[in-house]
Structure formats: structure tokens, C-alpha cells
Amino acid sequence: MRFSRMATMSKILASHLPSMRTSTRQLSMEAQNIADRLKSSSFFRTQGLIGGKWTDAYDANTLKVNNPATGEIIANVPCMGRKETDDAVSSAYNAFSSWSKLTAAERSKYLRKWYDLLMAHKEELGQLITLEQGKPLKEAIGEVGYGAAFIEFFSEEAKRVYGDIIPATLADRRLLVLKQPVGVVGAITPWNFPLAMITRKVGPALACGCTVVIKPSELTPLTALAATELALQAGIPPGVINVVMGNAPEIGDALLASPQVRKITFTGSTAVGKKLMAGAAGTVKRLSLELGGNAPCIVFDDADLDVAVKGTLAAKFRNSGQTCVCANRVLVQEGIYDKFADALSKAVQSLHVGDGFSEGVVQGPLINEAAVKKVERFIEDAISKGAKVLLGGKRHSLGMTFYEPTVVSDVKNEMLLAREEVFGPVAPLLRFKTEEEAIHIANDTNAGLAAYIFTNNVQRTWRVSEALEYGLVGVNEGIISTEVAPFGGVKQSGLGREGSKYGIDEYLELKYVCLGDMNRK
Ligand code: ADP
């Protein structure tokens, strides 16, 4: 079932449906109509949630949430800070004592109900994601399915948190290992997956008895608030989930300073991740960090050309290149380089760009002007150092934050395009001669999240997969994330794993209990 979800995503990205170009005015009206409908739905919320009460900022400050495709303001949400965060932590702390004492089966039922509600509102939640984040509607609805799957999966895993009995070293002893929830968790999430990055953290946390304070990205808080409202409708008790947003450094500092917060789980930039890691030292908190990547996508001479093009397209252009597992460097062996560059350019040329609500669109806008400027800076740097633009390489005629899907050849590993995450729809092609050289280039980075290889050689598949210093490797496949497999990076891409049976360990403490004097009658 999950496989078909992945396949659908690949199909969406690979589909080359022509469609009429919508004018900015029509586009804006359509988005407005959808926004109006969503605003009257049962889950649309524009306040923070503290102890089960929808709350404004204490000083009544607000911030605007924009539609990145039109620049229009969708809603105002509270601009919260330290005080609200302290109160959210207190309510999570108070709720912990009762939530953690429920049986696993009881918590599982709440999560299952939440999952059902998320799925029942799949279309509208998808629309909300498109509205505030910009990704094409089909992809956004795909994210709802993917995001909800973490709640379903961890509703099941809740019942499988087993302890251990250790064979004793002395005859009158019994040695036990209990697994217990860490306590209050601060979950800080980015804008590129407004729902899935939250459910991937909150699912396992709640499943094993933790309570949470979520800080969604200020760019995409509405999806987080809607999902939280559905959690309340599922009966999850007040205080178990709290949401604050606004002044990110102030909220982050309040979460870090509180001794009641026992863990921070974060997805976002490496720079902020490092700050959180340093800040967590003050109270010795546990940390899960899912930070930036610099994914190599290696196409060997022996690859199937169609499979490699389709996989690269999916790995690179999903969410307009705005994911931390997006292929950032496409390494192509010299024997297939020209054929591959040609075939990829043709496929990229037919990716339809536009407002995420328009039929057939597979490339939405970038999140904001700063994101476009970054792409422009990287392209300029590459051209000045000898790279050639095969396709695109400039802003799209739609204006706003739309950028043309781009292919650049003759990229070298020392160019910005290869050193840092471009986070945009740009496929940089690097040429290599040997397998050893490809592995060297691929590993020559501080990042280590996702890598992709395309080859039909079984021995090479094993050799290269083992040699890549990455947390995830896709072989002949460009979209590999699923709730049942562990997701996370090595090196400066982060700490810990999310999803899968391993993901719940991040929210559990081991307690060793030694029973003595067992021979006494
Ligand atoms: P991106 O570049 O993807 O937006 P960021 O790391 O800036 O990545 O943002 C990811 C999340 O971290 C967002 O919710 C953002 O508001 C939050 N954030 C940014 N700065 C801080 C900070 N100093 N402390 C805590 N959270 C922060």
C-alpha cells in the first residue's frame, strides 16, 4: 500500500501533462475561493494551543501567513515568545503524569482515531498545504497520506514497547530493563513538509507516553494547527499536544532552558541544529536532529537510462527541489553522460510549472524570495566557474517565486551548487570516470543524509551502498521515504532516526531494575 503511495508520487513527478497557463489573476481568485472554503471548515485554526485552549499571543502580536504562489495573506497567527512557551511546557508537563500512565492500548486508540480523522480530511488538509507551502495539490495530498501514516504506524508500535529480562549474574537476583517515556518533548519543524515533519515526531512521542510542545515553522503554521485541532477532536486530552509559534529563537531558548523539557526533536537547517545542540547542553537534554543533506545521485554507465532519468527526476524535483533528501549533485559516469544529460533535460523541460492548484502542475513556487535569490546566487557562481546551463537557469515568466526547472552541466565539486544544498529545482551534473572516484566525490561533504545510485550491477550495488557515508541509500529508485523505514543522517546531517520500529527508541529511556534477595522464602 505504501509502495503504491511512493509510486504515485513518482508518477506525479514524471507525468508530463500539458495544461493551459493560468493568469495570475485567475490563480489568485482560485486560491482565494479555496482559502474561504477552508476557513469555514471544522479544523481551520489561527491561534496557538496551550493546555487545550486556543490562545492568542499574550501581547496580542500577530504574524502573517502568505500564499507563496500569490503573495496574498491567508491568515494572521499569534506571534508568541517565551511566556507562552513556558506555559505550554507547564501544561505538557502536567499532562505527562496522566498520559504516560494510560495503557499502551488506550494511547493506541487515540492515535488511531487521529489517523482516521487526518485521512477523512485528506483533501482539505492537502489544500491547506498547497495554500501555505505551494507544493502541487496532488503532492500535498500525498504528503497527508504519508504524514498520517506515521500516526497509524506508531498507534500500532505503541503496543510493542517491550522491556527485557537479563540473565542474572548472581542466583538471588533478577535483572530487568524497563522502557519509559522521556517526558516532555519540544518538537521544532520546518516548512517543506508542514504535516509530515510533525507527525513523524509526535506519533512516536505520544505512542510511548510523552507529551509535546510543537513549534511549527512560522511560514506554514496552519497545517500544524489544523492537524492539532483534529487531534483534539480525536479525544487526545488537553495538554498532551501544545502548539506555539512566533519568535523562533525566543521559543527555542525557552524550550532549551526548561528543565521540564527532556528532549528536543528538530528538523531544519544545520546551522539552527548546531545552536540547539549547544543549547541543550545547559540542561543535558536528549536530541534528535534531522539536518541538511547534500545528496549525491550517482548514475553509472551500466544503469537503465529510463529508470535513471525517472528516478533522478523524482529525487531532484519533488517539492520543487525543496527537501533535505533531494538529489543535490547528479554524478554521471562519462560513458552515459551525454545521453543522460540529453534525456534528463527533455524530461525536465516537460515539467509543468505553476500554481499548485492548477491541473497538471508538478512544480510549484519556491517558498519565498530569499529561496529564489539563493538559487540565483548558486547558478551565478557555477556559471562563473565554467558550468553550462542546459535548461532553465532563470526565474519563471510567472513571476513571484517561480523558478524554471533547470539542468546545469560541467559542475565541479568545489562549486556552491555541489558544496551546499540549493533547495530549488536545479539538477547539477558532475562527470566521473571510475566507481572509486564517484564514491570519493559523493563522500566529500560534511552532510550524510540520502544518496541514490543507478546501476544494474548487483555487486556494485552492494559495494557502493556500503561505501556511501549516508543514512539512506536509494538503489534504482528516487523516492524512498516511508514510515516503516528508519530516516536520518550521519555526519553533520544529524542524530537519531525517525519512523520505523527504531524511531520510537528516540522517545524512550531505559531503566535497569535489579531485584535482590530473591531466595528469601
Ligand atoms: P529552514 O531554512 O528550512 O527554514 P530553519 O532551521 O531556519 O530551516 O527552520 C526550521 C525550524 O527551526 C523552523 O520552525 C524555525 O522557525 C525554527 N528556528 C529557526 N531558528 C531557531 C532558533 N534559534 N531556535 C529554535 N528554532 C529555530
Side-chain angles (χ1 to χ4, degrees):
M1 197 186 142
R2 304 284 170 258
F3 231 88
S4 68
R5 216 175 260 155
M6 284 191 257
T8 311
M9 180 75 83
S10 303
K11 268 190 226 139
I12 293 165
L13 282 155
S15 68
H16 307 142
L17 290 172
S19 108
M20 287 176 42
R21 185 146 294 166
T22 332
S23 77
T24 314
R25 187 162 195 87
Q26 279 171 315
L27 171 160
S28 178
M29 270 176 60
E30 191 179 351
Q32 197 53 51
N33 289 341
I34 290 170
D36 290 343
R37 270 206 309 279
L38 287 173
K39 281 178 189 171
S40 58
S41 70
S42 68
F43 58 75
F44 191 83
R45 292 284 174 186
T46 54
Q47 291 169 297
L49 185 73
I50 300 176
K53 291 204 178 68
W54 293 104
T55 310
D56 288 324
Y58 295 164
D59 61 6
N61 269 347
T62 58
L63 52 89
K64 297 176 176 60
V65 183
N66 291 300
N67 176 344
T70 63
E72 284 164 343
I73 298 164
I74 308 164
N76 291 302
V77 296
C79 183
M80 295 172 151
R82 185 180 55 77
K83 286 188 189 143
E84 295 88 344
T85 307
D86 286 345
D87 288 347
V89 169
S90 296
S91 49
Y93 188 75
N94 294 336
F96 177 74
S97 53
S98 49
W99 181 252
S100 59
K101 286 192 187 75
L102 293 182
T103 64
E106 285 167 327
R107 285 195 299 269
S108 171
K109 279 193 189 120
Y110 283 120
L111 287 173
R112 177 73 212 190
K113 185 119 190 261
W114 188 17
Y115 164 76
D116 289 340
L117 285 173
L118 290 167
M119 292 306 281
H121 294 284
K122 200 171 163 180
E123 306 280 325
E124 301 113 293
L125 286 170
Q127 290 173 344
L128 199 49
I129 291 175
T130 299
L131 204 56
E132 65 175 350
Q133 199 272 341
K135 67 178 70 172
L137 185 58
K138 272 191 196 164
E139 207 176 320
I141 293 172
E143 181 187 337
V144 180
Y146 172 59
F150 286 98
I151 303 299
E152 181 190 39
F153 181 83
F154 285 106
S155 76
E156 294 153 357
E157 282 306 285
K159 294 178 275 185
R160 291 190 260 281
V161 178
Y162 300 108
D164 257 327
I165 297 180
I166 298 173
T169 49
L170 295 170
D172 72 337
R173 303 244 170 131
R174 296 295 179 271
L175 314 184
L176 317 178
V177 178
L178 305 182
K179 288 191 181 175
Q180 295 183 312
V182 295
V184 175
V185 173
I188 304 175
T189 58
W191 50 265
N192 59 348
F193 288 91
L195 180 72
M197 294 304 104
I198 290 175
T199 53
R200 194 150 84 168
K201 295 167 166 46
V202 176
L206 262 54
C208 65
C210 297
T211 55
V212 297
V213 177
I214 302 170
K215 196 212 80 65
S217 167
E218 284 65 37
L219 300 174
T220 57
L222 301 174
T223 307
L225 296 172
T228 306
E229 165 61 36
L230 293 175
L232 294 182
Q233 290 179 22
I236 293 178
V240 172
I241 303 178
N242 304 272
V243 188
V244 290
M245 74 228 89
N247 183 335
E250 205 176 303
I251 294 170
D253 287 348
L255 290 171
L256 290 170
S258 168
Q260 291 180 330
V261 176
R262 294 310 318 140
K263 179 184 172 90
I264 297 285
T265 171
F266 171 76
T267 299
S269 62
T270 307
V272 173
K274 286 180 182 178
K275 272 190 207 159
L276 295 173
M277 194 167 179
T283 49
V284 193
K285 287 189 210 315
R286 289 190 46 181
L287 279 172
S288 296
L289 300 173
E290 202 266 274
L291 311 177
N294 181 2
C297 173
I298 311 174
V299 181
F300 289 98
D301 283 346
D302 58 24
D304 178 305
L305 185 65
D306 289 344
V307 170
V309 168
K310 192 168 158 245
T312 305
L313 203 63
K316 173 67 248 183
F317 290 93
R318 174 189 193 195
N319 203 3
S320 300
Q322 302 175 107
T323 87
C324 45
V325 292
C326 274
N328 202 53
R329 296 170 291 161
V330 185
L331 278 53
V332 191
Q333 201 161 11
E334 56 184 0
I336 199 175
Y337 189 93
D338 292 335
K339 259 194 286 177
F340 179 83
D342 194 42
L344 183 72
S345 300
K346 281 203 182 89
V348 172
Q349 190 155 32
S350 53
L351 293 176
H352 188 56
V353 181
D355 176 71
F357 290 111
S358 301
E359 185 62 28
V361 161
V362 291
Q363 293 287 285
L366 298 193
I367 190 70
N368 55 25
E369 180 69 16
V372 183
K373 287 205 167 124
K374 181 180 179 187
V375 174
E376 286 177 333
R377 189 162 56 85
F378 280 29
I379 293 281
E380 237 170 69
D381 171 81
I383 293 172
S384 74
K385 291 175 181 157
K388 294 189 190 71
V389 173
L390 298 183
L391 187 77
K394 57 182 190 307
R395 290 190 191 218
H396 196 276
S397 56
L398 279 173
M400 292 298 303
T401 55
F402 291 95
Y403 196 88
E404 288 189 4
T406 296
V407 181
V408 185
S409 73
D410 297 302
V411 172
K412 298 282 179 298
N413 212 30
E414 56 281 359
M415 296 176 184
L416 273 179
L417 266 180
R419 300 314 305 163
E420 294 177 31
E421 270 184 307
V422 64
F423 239 63
V426 179
L429 307 186
L430 291 79
R431 194 187 294 261
F432 71 89
K433 285 194 174 73
T434 63
E435 184 181 302
E436 292 69 30
E437 188 190 359
I439 292 169
H440 173 76
I441 297 172
N443 288 341
D444 180 20
T445 168
N446 287 329
L449 187 55
Y452 307 89
I453 62 175
F454 292 89
T455 173
N456 278 338
N457 179 319
V458 177
Q459 290 82 359
R460 171 171 276 159
T461 297
W462 278 102
R463 264 195 319 269
V464 179
S465 297
E466 287 176 2
L468 287 170
E469 296 164 357
Y470 287 83
L472 332 167
V473 179
V475 181
N476 295 326
E477 177 54 61
I479 294 192
I480 60 171
S481 304
T482 156
E483 74 284 1
V484 302
F487 186 103
V490 302
K491 292 157 89 178
Q492 294 183 26
S493 284
L495 298 173
R497 293 293 179 269
E498 296 193 294
S500 81
K501 64 172 181 173
Y502 307 103
I504 203 159
D505 293 339
E506 302 283 323
Y507 299 90
L508 290 165
E509 294 284 9
L510 296 184
K511 183 181 282 175
Y512 159 50
V513 179
C514 174
L515 306 181
D517 196 21
M518 293 296 291
N519 291 342
R520 183 146 50 98
K521 296 251 165 68

PDB file of all heavy atoms in Angstrom, residues 454-469:
ATOM      1  N   PHE A 454      22.202   4.533  -9.425  1.00  0.00           N
ATOM      2  CA  PHE A 454      21.514   3.867 -10.531  1.00  0.00           C
ATOM      3  C   PHE A 454      22.523   2.969 -11.236  1.00  0.00           C
ATOM      4  O   PHE A 454      23.511   3.441 -11.780  1.00  0.00           O
ATOM      5  CB  PHE A 454      20.895   4.900 -11.484  1.00  0.00           C
ATOM      6  CG  PHE A 454      19.754   5.631 -10.824  1.00  0.00           C
ATOM      7  CD1 PHE A 454      19.979   6.795 -10.092  1.00  0.00           C
ATOM      8  CD2 PHE A 454      18.469   5.113 -10.873  1.00  0.00           C
ATOM      9  CE1 PHE A 454      18.933   7.438  -9.442  1.00  0.00           C
ATOM     10  CE2 PHE A 454      17.417   5.748 -10.223  1.00  0.00           C
ATOM     11  CZ  PHE A 454      17.652   6.911  -9.509  1.00  0.00           C
ATOM     12  N   THR A 455      22.274   1.670 -11.158  1.00  0.00           N
ATOM     13  CA  THR A 455      23.159   0.675 -11.754  1.00  0.00           C
ATOM     14  C   THR A 455      22.394  -0.636 -11.880  1.00  0.00           C
ATOM     15  O   THR A 455      21.469  -0.887 -11.101  1.00  0.00           O
ATOM     16  CB  THR A 455      24.414   0.446 -10.874  1.00  0.00           C
ATOM     17  OG1 THR A 455      25.166  -0.647 -11.410  1.00  0.00           O
ATOM     18  CG2 THR A 455      24.068   0.085  -9.432  1.00  0.00           C
ATOM     19  N   ASN A 456      22.803  -1.471 -12.844  1.00  0.00           N
ATOM     20  CA  ASN A 456      22.190  -2.803 -12.945  1.00  0.00           C
ATOM     21  C   ASN A 456      23.140  -3.886 -12.466  1.00  0.00           C
ATOM     22  O   ASN A 456      22.879  -5.067 -12.667  1.00  0.00           O
ATOM     23  CB  ASN A 456      21.763  -3.083 -14.400  1.00  0.00           C
ATOM     24  CG  ASN A 456      20.416  -2.434 -14.691  1.00  0.00           C
ATOM     25  OD1 ASN A 456      19.651  -2.154 -13.770  1.00  0.00           O
ATOM     26  ND2 ASN A 456      20.139  -2.179 -15.949  1.00  0.00           N
ATOM     27  N   ASN A 457      24.246  -3.482 -11.844  1.00  0.00           N
ATOM     28  CA  ASN A 457      25.266  -4.433 -11.421  1.00  0.00           C
ATOM     29  C   ASN A 457      25.081  -4.726  -9.920  1.00  0.00           C
ATOM     30  O   ASN A 457      25.190  -3.826  -9.082  1.00  0.00           O
ATOM     31  CB  ASN A 457      26.638  -3.796 -11.701  1.00  0.00           C
ATOM     32  CG  ASN A 457      27.778  -4.682 -11.273  1.00  0.00           C
ATOM     33  OD1 ASN A 457      27.732  -5.305 -10.215  1.00  0.00           O
ATOM     34  ND2 ASN A 457      28.825  -4.712 -12.075  1.00  0.00           N
ATOM     35  N   VAL A 458      24.765  -5.985  -9.614  1.00  0.00           N
ATOM     36  CA  VAL A 458      24.438  -6.362  -8.228  1.00  0.00           C
ATOM     37  C   VAL A 458      25.622  -6.142  -7.289  1.00  0.00           C
ATOM     38  O   VAL A 458      25.475  -5.597  -6.199  1.00  0.00           O
ATOM     39  CB  VAL A 458      24.011  -7.847  -8.159  1.00  0.00           C
ATOM     40  CG1 VAL A 458      23.741  -8.266  -6.722  1.00  0.00           C
ATOM     41  CG2 VAL A 458      22.786  -8.080  -9.001  1.00  0.00           C
ATOM     42  N   GLN A 459      26.808  -6.559  -7.736  1.00  0.00           N
ATOM     43  CA  GLN A 459      27.989  -6.418  -6.874  1.00  0.00           C
ATOM     44  C   GLN A 459      28.273  -4.942  -6.597  1.00  0.00           C
ATOM     45  O   GLN A 459      28.589  -4.557  -5.477  1.00  0.00           O
ATOM     46  CB  GLN A 459      29.228  -7.062  -7.527  1.00  0.00           C
ATOM     47  CG  GLN A 459      29.178  -8.565  -7.587  1.00  0.00           C
ATOM     48  CD  GLN A 459      28.349  -9.077  -8.770  1.00  0.00           C
ATOM     49  OE1 GLN A 459      27.792  -8.310  -9.543  1.00  0.00           O
ATOM     50  NE2 GLN A 459      28.275 -10.393  -8.907  1.00  0.00           N
ATOM     51  N   ARG A 460      28.119  -4.122  -7.626  1.00  0.00           N
ATOM     52  CA  ARG A 460      28.349  -2.680  -7.463  1.00  0.00           C
ATOM     53  C   ARG A 460      27.322  -2.088  -6.489  1.00  0.00           C
ATOM     54  O   ARG A 460      27.644  -1.241  -5.665  1.00  0.00           O
ATOM     55  CB  ARG A 460      28.244  -2.002  -8.825  1.00  0.00           C
ATOM     56  CG  ARG A 460      28.260  -0.505  -8.746  1.00  0.00           C
ATOM     57  CD  ARG A 460      28.377   0.109 -10.104  1.00  0.00           C
ATOM     58  NE  ARG A 460      29.754   0.164 -10.524  1.00  0.00           N
ATOM     59  CZ  ARG A 460      30.158   0.272 -11.784  1.00  0.00           C
ATOM     60  NH1 ARG A 460      29.262   0.314 -12.747  1.00  0.00           N
ATOM     61  NH2 ARG A 460      31.430   0.331 -12.089  1.00  0.00           N
ATOM     62  N   THR A 461      26.078  -2.546  -6.587  1.00  0.00           N
ATOM     63  CA  THR A 461      25.035  -2.065  -5.688  1.00  0.00           C
ATOM     64  C   THR A 461      25.478  -2.234  -4.238  1.00  0.00           C
ATOM     65  O   THR A 461      25.384  -1.311  -3.426  1.00  0.00           O
ATOM     66  CB  THR A 461      23.733  -2.860  -5.930  1.00  0.00           C
ATOM     67  OG1 THR A 461      23.302  -2.609  -7.249  1.00  0.00           O
ATOM     68  CG2 THR A 461      22.651  -2.465  -4.946  1.00  0.00           C
ATOM     69  N   TRP A 462      25.974  -3.448  -3.915  1.00  0.00           N
ATOM     70  CA  TRP A 462      26.410  -3.701  -2.540  1.00  0.00           C
ATOM     71  C   TRP A 462      27.617  -2.860  -2.173  1.00  0.00           C
ATOM     72  O   TRP A 462      27.655  -2.220  -1.123  1.00  0.00           O
ATOM     73  CB  TRP A 462      26.767  -5.195  -2.366  1.00  0.00           C
ATOM     74  CG  TRP A 462      25.550  -6.023  -2.124  1.00  0.00           C
ATOM     75  CD1 TRP A 462      24.907  -6.800  -3.035  1.00  0.00           C
ATOM     76  CD2 TRP A 462      24.814  -6.135  -0.895  1.00  0.00           C
ATOM     77  NE1 TRP A 462      23.820  -7.392  -2.449  1.00  0.00           N
ATOM     78  CE2 TRP A 462      23.731  -7.013  -1.147  1.00  0.00           C
ATOM     79  CE3 TRP A 462      24.964  -5.582   0.367  1.00  0.00           C
ATOM     80  CZ2 TRP A 462      22.812  -7.351  -0.165  1.00  0.00           C
ATOM     81  CZ3 TRP A 462      24.045  -5.919   1.359  1.00  0.00           C
ATOM     82  CH2 TRP A 462      22.991  -6.784   1.085  1.00  0.00           C
ATOM     83  N   ARG A 463      28.642  -2.891  -3.053  1.00  0.00           N
ATOM     84  CA  ARG A 463      29.892  -2.164  -2.779  1.00  0.00           C
ATOM     85  C   ARG A 463      29.619  -0.693  -2.511  1.00  0.00           C
ATOM     86  O   ARG A 463      30.057  -0.134  -1.513  1.00  0.00           O
ATOM     87  CB  ARG A 463      30.819  -2.267  -3.996  1.00  0.00           C
ATOM     88  CG  ARG A 463      31.843  -3.346  -3.960  1.00  0.00           C
ATOM     89  CD  ARG A 463      32.926  -3.143  -5.013  1.00  0.00           C
ATOM     90  NE  ARG A 463      32.501  -2.678  -6.324  1.00  0.00           N
ATOM     91  CZ  ARG A 463      32.177  -3.476  -7.350  1.00  0.00           C
ATOM     92  NH1 ARG A 463      32.227  -4.785  -7.226  1.00  0.00           N
ATOM     93  NH2 ARG A 463      31.816  -2.965  -8.519  1.00  0.00           N
ATOM     94  N   VAL A 464      28.857  -0.071  -3.427  1.00  0.00           N
ATOM     95  CA  VAL A 464      28.673   1.379  -3.330  1.00  0.00           C
ATOM     96  C   VAL A 464      27.749   1.726  -2.153  1.00  0.00           C
ATOM     97  O   VAL A 464      28.003   2.668  -1.408  1.00  0.00           O
ATOM     98  CB  VAL A 464      28.154   1.954  -4.670  1.00  0.00           C
ATOM     99  CG1 VAL A 464      27.942   3.452  -4.569  1.00  0.00           C
ATOM    100  CG2 VAL A 464      29.131   1.636  -5.791  1.00  0.00           C
ATOM    101  N   SER A 465      26.688   0.925  -1.959  1.00  0.00           N
ATOM    102  CA  SER A 465      25.778   1.197  -0.831  1.00  0.00           C
ATOM    103  C   SER A 465      26.551   1.165   0.481  1.00  0.00           C
ATOM    104  O   SER A 465      26.327   1.980   1.369  1.00  0.00           O
ATOM    105  CB  SER A 465      24.649   0.168  -0.760  1.00  0.00           C
ATOM    106  OG  SER A 465      23.866   0.248  -1.912  1.00  0.00           O
ATOM    107  N   GLU A 466      27.469   0.199   0.602  1.00  0.00           N
ATOM    108  CA  GLU A 466      28.237   0.093   1.843  1.00  0.00           C
ATOM    109  C   GLU A 466      29.252   1.220   1.991  1.00  0.00           C
ATOM    110  O   GLU A 466      29.534   1.668   3.092  1.00  0.00           O
ATOM    111  CB  GLU A 466      28.938  -1.272   1.912  1.00  0.00           C
ATOM    112  CG  GLU A 466      27.946  -2.388   2.199  1.00  0.00           C
ATOM    113  CD  GLU A 466      28.533  -3.788   2.184  1.00  0.00           C
ATOM    114  OE1 GLU A 466      29.764  -3.929   1.978  1.00  0.00           O
ATOM    115  OE2 GLU A 466      27.767  -4.735   2.360  1.00  0.00           O
ATOM    116  N   ALA A 467      29.778   1.694   0.870  1.00  0.00           N
ATOM    117  CA  ALA A 467      30.841   2.711   0.941  1.00  0.00           C
ATOM    118  C   ALA A 467      30.297   4.126   1.133  1.00  0.00           C
ATOM    119  O   ALA A 467      31.026   5.017   1.576  1.00  0.00           O
ATOM    120  CB  ALA A 467      31.671   2.654  -0.340  1.00  0.00           C
ATOM    121  N   LEU A 468      29.039   4.344   0.822  1.00  0.00           N
ATOM    122  CA  LEU A 468      28.486   5.693   0.921  1.00  0.00           C
ATOM    123  C   LEU A 468      28.267   6.069   2.394  1.00  0.00           C
ATOM    124  O   LEU A 468      27.646   5.305   3.145  1.00  0.00           O
ATOM    125  CB  LEU A 468      27.169   5.791   0.149  1.00  0.00           C
ATOM    126  CG  LEU A 468      27.299   5.801  -1.377  1.00  0.00           C
ATOM    127  CD1 LEU A 468      25.939   5.650  -2.047  1.00  0.00           C
ATOM    128  CD2 LEU A 468      27.988   7.089  -1.852  1.00  0.00           C
ATOM    129  N   GLU A 469      28.768   7.232   2.783  1.00  0.00           N
ATOM    130  CA  GLU A 469      28.621   7.674   4.185  1.00  0.00           C
ATOM    131  C   GLU A 469      27.311   8.442   4.313  1.00  0.00           C
ATOM    132  O   GLU A 469      27.293   9.668   4.462  1.00  0.00           O
ATOM    133  CB  GLU A 469      29.824   8.542   4.567  1.00  0.00           C
ATOM    134  CG  GLU A 469      31.133   7.768   4.540  1.00  0.00           C
ATOM    135  CD  GLU A 469      32.358   8.686   4.531  1.00  0.00           C
ATOM    136  OE1 GLU A 469      32.207   9.916   4.481  1.00  0.00           O
ATOM    137  OE2 GLU A 469      33.473   8.136   4.565  1.00  0.00           O
TER     138      GLU A 469
END
